[in-house]
Amino acid sequence: MKYLLGGLVLLAAIGAGLMFWVRTMPVPAERYHAAGEMPTDGEHVGRGGYAVVRVVSAPQETLAALSDRIAQTPRTTRLAGSAAEGHVSYVTRSDFWGFPDVTNAWIDGDRVAVRGHLVVGGGDMGVNRARIERWLADVPALSPQD
């Protein structure tokens, strides 16, 4: 019985340590605040793991509205940049574990790109795609027109 209890205590300590590491791990702006060239719309697997990208035609001021909407999301903090600079990055952490996901939003000409990807792991179960679709739907200039 004491071995079972000791094993459970050890397992709980490992879980707590893992949760602490995930919740406090740094997300360096110099690594994740990167727009690059205007990507294609869709889902990609590349550097940094799985990513979802949405590209929409929109006027310059739309990035500010999108950035404001992203900033209102729970557990989301601005990592770097601003809408005025034409590129802004955010970190959104999952509710229970605190896994960080990075979102970059930038404008190039008359197109706005939003790219979301995980920082830890190999899949996000569609969380980034759903989040980005919700943000785009909430910004009138970016939501699909009927």
Side-chain angles (χ1 to χ4, degrees), residues 41-58:
D41 194 49
E43 298 178 14
H44 308 277
V45 176
R47 195 193 82 178
Y50 175 80
V52 62
V53 178
R54 294 295 177 254
V55 179
V56 293
S57 294

Side-chain angles (χ1 to χ4, degrees), residues 32 94 130:
Y32 293 105
S94 63

